[in-house]
Amino acid sequence: MSRNIGCPQHEHAFSRRGFLAGSTTALGVAGGLQSALQAETVSAVQQQRKQVLQIFLQGGVSQLESWDPKPGTVYGGPFRAIPTSVPGVHISELLPLTARQMHRLSLVRSINIKINDHGQGRLFMERGRRAGEFPFIGSVAAKYLSPENNPLPGYVHFSTRGIAGDTAAFLGAGHQQLILDGEKVPPNLDRHSSLSETSATRRNELRMRLNDRFAVGRQKANVDTYSSSFAQAARLMERRHLFEGEISAADTERYGKHPFARKCVRARTLLEAGVTCVKVTHHGYDTHAENFNFHIEQLGEFDGPFSTLLDDLAERGLLESTLVIVHSEFGRTPKINVRYGRDHWGTAWSLAIGGCGIVPGAVIGKTNDKGTAVADREVDAGHLFHTYFQALGLDTSGDHQLDGRSVPIGDPAAAPIKELLA
Amino acid sequence: MRVLQDPIRRSIVAFSWQPSARRVPGSVGLLVWGLLITGSLHAESAAVRHKPARAEERASADNSTGKTQSVVARKPLRHRVDQVIAARLAERLPALTAADVVPADDAELIRRATLDLWGVIPVADDVTDYLADNDSRKYQRLIDRLLTDPRHHHHLAAKLGITWMERRPDKHVSAADWTKWLTAQIADNRPLDDTVRDLLSADGSDADTRPAAKFLLDRNLDKDIVTRDIGRLFLGRDLECAQCHDHPLYDEYLQRHYFGITAFLNRSYVFNDKKKKRSIIAEKAVGVVKFASVFTNESGETPPRILNLAGIPDPPADKNPYVAKPTSAVAGVPKYSRRKLLATAVTDPANTAFRQNMANRLWAFVMGRGLVEPVDLWHVDNPPSHPELARLLGEELHRSGYNVQQFLRELLLSETYRRGSRVRAGVPVPADEHFAISVLRPLTPEQLTDSAFMAIGLTESTLQRVIAARKSKQPAIEHDVALQQAALRSEMNKLRAPFLKAFVDGPPTSRFDATAQQALFLKNGGLMATSLAPRSDNIIGRLQKQHEVDEIASTLYLSILSRPATSGEIEQIREYLREDDAELSTAERTLRLQELTWALLTSAEFRLQH
């Protein structure tokens, strides 16, 4: 038998079973899937696979109203700094719940990316490279941290505004982000109404038989790639429940009802199920006017769900294998403009990081007293990129091995922030 | 065994490089590698244009080989291609014999060539006619027909357009204008270097060449993006890393190469002409390019230069350096324009990187893989798989006056192009870079979309509808293929959009990026479901009317896979339709016909070029 030529065994096993079972025993098949699913959920925790939770505060959160408050200084703004669960570390009073999570997080307060443009800043923060077509954090994670034959997409991005663009670059579309809005399931996940399950199974079986015959005597790679895409599609269909379904009353109570809260609940579900990188974008930090009112609102939305999510990940034992990054494309100007706004500022700003492989409770670098420049331990997105992946156990001084070339994974001109690595 | 009865095959004269070539059981003669020459292939087709005057001019001007070459006495390029491929095969894969490869049959060849030259599978009737044709020169006639048809001009233009613009969203010049301009270039068989010179020199102020300015305008003339893309697309060298330092891995990619290209561009900018409501390219008379390494203390300054060729120094400073001085209302035009030198410098015969890159990309276009692969990483650690061939192709393209049609024709007439696509069972599959068998590769999103529409009969039915609707106003449309195709395209574009959207994922790439989302689209998408609903003018409607299994199998396989079904496949269909039981209801039978159609459309055989 040459049956296993051309597509993975898993796909055959499934659909052949479905084919033989026919419609009368469909229930039995579904039952089998259910238990297979539970087994996978458990195994994601047991194996302690490395995962990434990336929270992107789109528009540029103000470092002065979040991680690096300067109360009582000329540009400090109206808010106080409050103590956190780490003695001596203070953050803005706009983050009271996150302050209690500080022992699980660390801060980098000395970022200078020298970019004040949304698009360029976002790309640099994602790619760790100032220029060029490099893969995003999520795509690199999907490529190197996903188990073989991952039944789930490696990189899911919850965003209500689809920011189109190639996140995978040379790693290939298989590691591209899957953008979801947190409410609807991915497109085409349901069998078309005109098609019965029997018919779908039968034609799929036929497709595989055709491929088996075609594959004989040819290079396997392309036939395999094509077959795997169908196998992965089938696995996604089986996991429809991960993308939708009611959020429980208890979770609604704890997380809240607004879209960012709901995305955080879904992010937890996907991380538990084994998606390698889940990115949640929280829109609306570009506060050129009314910076302070907007930050009350925005961080008010962020603070609760984010800290609840950290609690839940910790409780489920996932935090030690999940790298958590909270970042923007840049910070905001110390100088307050005439509209009570702060403008784009890539020169001296902060982010929070924690979980897998990161020393907890650390504060890296500092800005000067007025917050107008980095005073110590200046880093940029190149250093951060190395740090994320070193924490995840990937050697960023190594290369992406591509067809006919190798490309350094991290920028060779930058290095990880060693003090942050556990 | 149909292959061996084919007159072309029987007339083959072979020079063997494989002394122990095995006898194929049942064959009429030895089938061996090497130069497979049918006498008829020597004949040149009058249908394919040549530019002898231009070519001779090139030959005598060509000092790259140090002597004047004769154009007439050369063996056709295709034979020299086959010679190199065969010689390297004998050297590198001595165990592989000719008999190990299953020869390509007529059906495979007409599918392969039509996909490569028209971007779509052949219509079923064309396959049937081709198989029935007993002319020993039918393959050459096929290639010439494909190459001179407007469908080829449009396909090659679209292909080049995507290669050069990499699916960027439109900014200043519409995709329609761009493709139209490129199609005219191809239809006239304009020398490719002339076309490239227009791309690099047009400033958008002249209506005739404004579409060409898309290359620079739609990149907003961002000097980093344009520098990198000129390196990749026209020199075959991705100099990106050399932007910040000499390349850490490739010794010959230097910062001065990167900034040498930048220096042609750094004085130019996009000027928004508010009066005429359009953007054009303007230029200042001053500006130098300096660079410093992020690793070392090295720094430098460079005038415009291409790779290792000499820099082009500016003329002595002029007190009044402008034809038109730049202001907010006036587009700057300097007396001495660095940017104007770019087009000539890139295409200059002394810059052999240009011809080799263009030849390598055209080779990859039809052979499925570059001699240098990836096509934009030409350097000492990633040498061509066949260095002498890479050189030869570049020289030939240059010598022919960048005659793309003639170049492609030679490649398609080569034995290398016509090789089979699989080896016999048990034989190790040779790696792609040997070109021992045809390279298996995915259809582009456009090829896939158009082929799927062709296979289900949508293209034919739309064409008939378009002709019927327009013939009273435009009588010529009944027989003018160019008119038909233009009308068909505008109609099909609406239908193509959702299909293309599902399969286009960023800039073009030679990787096969098959994603779960694409598979979901094919499995569950509404478009697939509605396309397979029975209609009088689609494949399901036709199949419903057919009662003999032979006939059904023939419709399915010829329409979708462009080949007749084998007896085993006919039996499989018989079984699938439960012919023996004769019990299936009409509805159940239709359902199974739809399943068969879907399975063939989603099969690897359909999805891949082979």
PDB file of all heavy atoms in Angstrom, chain B residues 17-18 66 134 204 230 237 307 324 340 356 362 377 404 406 421 458 477 545 593:
ATOM      1  N   TRP B  17      24.188  10.148 -23.677  1.00  0.00           N
ATOM      2  CA  TRP B  17      25.308  10.338 -22.747  1.00  0.00           C
ATOM      3  C   TRP B  17      25.334   9.214 -21.767  1.00  0.00           C
ATOM      4  O   TRP B  17      26.159   9.134 -20.907  1.00  0.00           O
ATOM      5  CB  TRP B  17      25.199  11.676 -22.008  1.00  0.00           C
ATOM      6  CG  TRP B  17      23.904  11.875 -21.268  1.00  0.00           C
ATOM      7  CD1 TRP B  17      22.802  12.518 -21.722  1.00  0.00           C
ATOM      8  CD2 TRP B  17      23.586  11.419 -19.955  1.00  0.00           C
ATOM      9  NE1 TRP B  17      21.811  12.495 -20.793  1.00  0.00           N
ATOM     10  CE2 TRP B  17      22.248  11.833 -19.695  1.00  0.00           C
ATOM     11  CE3 TRP B  17      24.279  10.709 -18.963  1.00  0.00           C
ATOM     12  CZ2 TRP B  17      21.610  11.559 -18.503  1.00  0.00           C
ATOM     13  CZ3 TRP B  17      23.631  10.441 -17.777  1.00  0.00           C
ATOM     14  CH2 TRP B  17      22.294  10.859 -17.559  1.00  0.00           C
ATOM     15  N   GLN B  18      24.357   8.357 -21.869  1.00  0.00           N
ATOM     16  CA  GLN B  18      24.204   7.282 -20.903  1.00  0.00           C
ATOM     17  C   GLN B  18      24.455   5.963 -21.612  1.00  0.00           C
ATOM     18  O   GLN B  18      23.581   5.417 -22.253  1.00  0.00           O
ATOM     19  CB  GLN B  18      22.767   7.348 -20.361  1.00  0.00           C
ATOM     20  CG  GLN B  18      22.492   6.416 -19.224  1.00  0.00           C
ATOM     21  CD  GLN B  18      23.410   6.650 -18.058  1.00  0.00           C
ATOM     22  OE1 GLN B  18      24.361   5.893 -17.892  1.00  0.00           O
ATOM     23  NE2 GLN B  18      23.190   7.682 -17.289  1.00  0.00           N
ATOM     24  N   GLY B  66      35.006  39.751 -25.630  1.00  0.00           N
ATOM     25  CA  GLY B  66      36.270  40.188 -26.190  1.00  0.00           C
ATOM     26  C   GLY B  66      36.380  40.049 -27.690  1.00  0.00           C
ATOM     27  O   GLY B  66      37.361  40.428 -28.292  1.00  0.00           O
ATOM     28  N   ASN B 134      -1.844  14.541 -35.951  1.00  0.00           N
ATOM     29  CA  ASN B 134      -0.758  13.608 -36.265  1.00  0.00           C
ATOM     30  C   ASN B 134       0.469  14.297 -36.848  1.00  0.00           C
ATOM     31  O   ASN B 134       1.428  13.641 -37.234  1.00  0.00           O
ATOM     32  CB  ASN B 134      -1.251  12.554 -37.260  1.00  0.00           C
ATOM     33  CG  ASN B 134      -2.153  11.562 -36.554  1.00  0.00           C
ATOM     34  OD1 ASN B 134      -1.921  11.214 -35.391  1.00  0.00           O
ATOM     35  ND2 ASN B 134      -3.204  11.141 -37.234  1.00  0.00           N
ATOM     36  N   GLY B 204       6.670  60.314 -15.076  1.00  0.00           N
ATOM     37  CA  GLY B 204       5.219  60.400 -14.908  1.00  0.00           C
ATOM     38  C   GLY B 204       4.611  61.630 -15.541  1.00  0.00           C
ATOM     39  O   GLY B 204       3.401  61.825 -15.503  1.00  0.00           O
ATOM     40  N   ILE B 230      15.500  47.568  -6.709  1.00  0.00           N
ATOM     41  CA  ILE B 230      16.340  47.557  -7.915  1.00  0.00           C
ATOM     42  C   ILE B 230      17.383  46.454  -7.794  1.00  0.00           C
ATOM     43  O   ILE B 230      17.631  45.698  -8.732  1.00  0.00           O
ATOM     44  CB  ILE B 230      16.999  48.942  -8.135  1.00  0.00           C
ATOM     45  CG1 ILE B 230      15.935  49.930  -8.618  1.00  0.00           C
ATOM     46  CG2 ILE B 230      18.145  48.854  -9.144  1.00  0.00           C
ATOM     47  CD1 ILE B 230      16.412  51.355  -8.720  1.00  0.00           C
ATOM     48  N   ARG B 237      20.134  40.659  -6.705  1.00  0.00           N
ATOM     49  CA  ARG B 237      20.882  40.714  -5.454  1.00  0.00           C
ATOM     50  C   ARG B 237      20.099  41.487  -4.397  1.00  0.00           C
ATOM     51  O   ARG B 237      19.829  42.671  -4.580  1.00  0.00           O
ATOM     52  CB  ARG B 237      22.244  41.382  -5.677  1.00  0.00           C
ATOM     53  CG  ARG B 237      23.247  40.446  -6.332  1.00  0.00           C
ATOM     54  CD  ARG B 237      24.244  41.216  -7.176  1.00  0.00           C
ATOM     55  NE  ARG B 237      25.256  40.331  -7.729  1.00  0.00           N
ATOM     56  CZ  ARG B 237      25.100  39.633  -8.862  1.00  0.00           C
ATOM     57  NH1 ARG B 237      23.984  39.702  -9.537  1.00  0.00           N
ATOM     58  NH2 ARG B 237      26.083  38.863  -9.303  1.00  0.00           N
ATOM     59  N   LEU B 307      26.954  48.094  -8.444  1.00  0.00           N
ATOM     60  CA  LEU B 307      27.816  47.038  -7.926  1.00  0.00           C
ATOM     61  C   LEU B 307      29.281  47.446  -8.001  1.00  0.00           C
ATOM     62  O   LEU B 307      29.649  48.486  -7.483  1.00  0.00           O
ATOM     63  CB  LEU B 307      27.527  45.713  -8.640  1.00  0.00           C
ATOM     64  CG  LEU B 307      26.057  45.247  -8.513  1.00  0.00           C
ATOM     65  CD1 LEU B 307      25.814  43.963  -9.299  1.00  0.00           C
ATOM     66  CD2 LEU B 307      25.644  45.059  -7.060  1.00  0.00           C
ATOM     67  N   ALA B 324      14.630  73.826 -13.981  1.00  0.00           N
ATOM     68  CA  ALA B 324      13.497  74.383 -13.236  1.00  0.00           C
ATOM     69  C   ALA B 324      13.820  74.247 -11.761  1.00  0.00           C
ATOM     70  O   ALA B 324      14.056  73.141 -11.268  1.00  0.00           O
ATOM     71  CB  ALA B 324      12.218  73.642 -13.570  1.00  0.00           C
ATOM     72  N   LYS B 340      18.363  60.191 -14.002  1.00  0.00           N
ATOM     73  CA  LYS B 340      18.276  59.854 -15.425  1.00  0.00           C
ATOM     74  C   LYS B 340      19.363  58.863 -15.828  1.00  0.00           C
ATOM     75  O   LYS B 340      19.249  58.174 -16.833  1.00  0.00           O
ATOM     76  CB  LYS B 340      18.364  61.131 -16.271  1.00  0.00           C
ATOM     77  CG  LYS B 340      17.134  62.029 -16.121  1.00  0.00           C
ATOM     78  CD  LYS B 340      16.247  61.983 -17.357  1.00  0.00           C
ATOM     79  CE  LYS B 340      14.860  62.554 -17.115  1.00  0.00           C
ATOM     80  NZ  LYS B 340      14.837  64.011 -16.989  1.00  0.00           N
ATOM     81  N   GLN B 356      22.028  38.576 -16.624  1.00  0.00           N
ATOM     82  CA  GLN B 356      21.961  37.258 -15.987  1.00  0.00           C
ATOM     83  C   GLN B 356      20.733  37.141 -15.103  1.00  0.00           C
ATOM     84  O   GLN B 356      20.070  36.115 -15.056  1.00  0.00           O
ATOM     85  CB  GLN B 356      23.235  37.007 -15.176  1.00  0.00           C
ATOM     86  CG  GLN B 356      24.438  36.890 -16.108  1.00  0.00           C
ATOM     87  CD  GLN B 356      25.684  36.410 -15.402  1.00  0.00           C
ATOM     88  OE1 GLN B 356      25.772  36.485 -14.194  1.00  0.00           O
ATOM     89  NE2 GLN B 356      26.646  35.929 -16.167  1.00  0.00           N
ATOM     90  N   LEU B 362      13.490  34.682 -16.353  1.00  0.00           N
ATOM     91  CA  LEU B 362      12.685  34.113 -17.433  1.00  0.00           C
ATOM     92  C   LEU B 362      12.777  32.589 -17.429  1.00  0.00           C
ATOM     93  O   LEU B 362      11.804  31.887 -17.676  1.00  0.00           O
ATOM     94  CB  LEU B 362      13.141  34.675 -18.792  1.00  0.00           C
ATOM     95  CG  LEU B 362      12.781  36.144 -19.042  1.00  0.00           C
ATOM     96  CD1 LEU B 362      13.481  36.662 -20.300  1.00  0.00           C
ATOM     97  CD2 LEU B 362      11.267  36.330 -19.176  1.00  0.00           C
ATOM     98  N   LEU B 377      19.058  36.134  -4.809  1.00  0.00           N
ATOM     99  CA  LEU B 377      20.214  35.954  -3.926  1.00  0.00           C
ATOM    100  C   LEU B 377      21.386  35.361  -4.696  1.00  0.00           C
ATOM    101  O   LEU B 377      21.833  34.245  -4.450  1.00  0.00           O
ATOM    102  CB  LEU B 377      19.855  35.077  -2.738  1.00  0.00           C
ATOM    103  CG  LEU B 377      19.284  35.844  -1.556  1.00  0.00           C
ATOM    104  CD1 LEU B 377      18.984  34.915  -0.410  1.00  0.00           C
ATOM    105  CD2 LEU B 377      20.246  36.940  -1.098  1.00  0.00           C
ATOM    106  N   VAL B 404      12.360  38.712 -25.772  1.00  0.00           N
ATOM    107  CA  VAL B 404      11.775  37.789 -24.802  1.00  0.00           C
ATOM    108  C   VAL B 404      11.035  36.649 -25.487  1.00  0.00           C
ATOM    109  O   VAL B 404      11.122  35.491 -25.084  1.00  0.00           O
ATOM    110  CB  VAL B 404      10.811  38.538 -23.851  1.00  0.00           C
ATOM    111  CG1 VAL B 404      10.126  37.567 -22.906  1.00  0.00           C
ATOM    112  CG2 VAL B 404      11.578  39.580 -23.073  1.00  0.00           C
ATOM    113  N   GLN B 406      11.503  35.288 -28.415  1.00  0.00           N
ATOM    114  CA  GLN B 406      12.431  34.310 -28.994  1.00  0.00           C
ATOM    115  C   GLN B 406      13.100  33.488 -27.897  1.00  0.00           C
ATOM    116  O   GLN B 406      13.276  32.286 -28.021  1.00  0.00           O
ATOM    117  CB  GLN B 406      13.490  35.074 -29.805  1.00  0.00           C
ATOM    118  CG  GLN B 406      14.467  34.180 -30.537  1.00  0.00           C
ATOM    119  CD  GLN B 406      15.591  35.005 -31.158  1.00  0.00           C
ATOM    120  OE1 GLN B 406      15.339  36.041 -31.777  1.00  0.00           O
ATOM    121  NE2 GLN B 406      16.825  34.574 -30.980  1.00  0.00           N
ATOM    122  N   SER B 421       7.436  14.420 -15.670  1.00  0.00           N
ATOM    123  CA  SER B 421       7.357  15.055 -14.356  1.00  0.00           C
ATOM    124  C   SER B 421       7.447  14.044 -13.218  1.00  0.00           C
ATOM    125  O   SER B 421       7.248  14.392 -12.068  1.00  0.00           O
ATOM    126  CB  SER B 421       6.053  15.839 -14.247  1.00  0.00           C
ATOM    127  OG  SER B 421       4.955  14.947 -14.310  1.00  0.00           O
ATOM    128  N   LEU B 458     -17.033  27.992 -16.579  1.00  0.00           N
ATOM    129  CA  LEU B 458     -17.464  29.366 -16.376  1.00  0.00           C
ATOM    130  C   LEU B 458     -16.855  30.315 -17.415  1.00  0.00           C
ATOM    131  O   LEU B 458     -17.500  31.256 -17.876  1.00  0.00           O
ATOM    132  CB  LEU B 458     -17.073  29.809 -14.957  1.00  0.00           C
ATOM    133  CG  LEU B 458     -17.569  31.174 -14.523  1.00  0.00           C
ATOM    134  CD1 LEU B 458     -19.087  31.198 -14.470  1.00  0.00           C
ATOM    135  CD2 LEU B 458     -17.012  31.527 -13.149  1.00  0.00           C
ATOM    136  N   ILE B 477     -16.093  41.340 -32.718  1.00  0.00           N
ATOM    137  CA  ILE B 477     -15.824  40.522 -31.536  1.00  0.00           C
ATOM    138  C   ILE B 477     -16.069  39.039 -31.816  1.00  0.00           C
ATOM    139  O   ILE B 477     -15.534  38.173 -31.124  1.00  0.00           O
ATOM    140  CB  ILE B 477     -16.661  40.999 -30.326  1.00  0.00           C
ATOM    141  CG1 ILE B 477     -16.004  40.528 -29.015  1.00  0.00           C
ATOM    142  CG2 ILE B 477     -18.095  40.480 -30.400  1.00  0.00           C
ATOM    143  CD1 ILE B 477     -16.575  41.140 -27.762  1.00  0.00           C
ATOM    144  N   LYS B 545     -26.229  15.288 -18.146  1.00  0.00           N
ATOM    145  CA  LYS B 545     -26.837  14.802 -19.391  1.00  0.00           C
ATOM    146  C   LYS B 545     -26.118  13.584 -19.950  1.00  0.00           C
ATOM    147  O   LYS B 545     -26.567  12.979 -20.909  1.00  0.00           O
ATOM    148  CB  LYS B 545     -26.833  15.928 -20.429  1.00  0.00           C
ATOM    149  CG  LYS B 545     -27.796  17.044 -20.093  1.00  0.00           C
ATOM    150  CD  LYS B 545     -27.947  17.984 -21.290  1.00  0.00           C
ATOM    151  CE  LYS B 545     -28.280  19.393 -20.829  1.00  0.00           C
ATOM    152  NZ  LYS B 545     -27.216  20.360 -21.033  1.00  0.00           N
ATOM    153  N   LEU B 593     -21.627  13.342  -8.843  1.00  0.00           N
ATOM    154  CA  LEU B 593     -20.907  14.045  -9.917  1.00  0.00           C
ATOM    155  C   LEU B 593     -20.251  15.306  -9.351  1.00  0.00           C
ATOM    156  O   LEU B 593     -19.121  15.655  -9.717  1.00  0.00           O
ATOM    157  CB  LEU B 593     -21.865  14.403 -11.057  1.00  0.00           C
ATOM    158  CG  LEU B 593     -22.394  13.206 -11.878  1.00  0.00           C
ATOM    159  CD1 LEU B 593     -23.507  13.655 -12.825  1.00  0.00           C
ATOM    160  CD2 LEU B 593     -21.262  12.541 -12.676  1.00  0.00           C
TER     161      LEU B 593
END
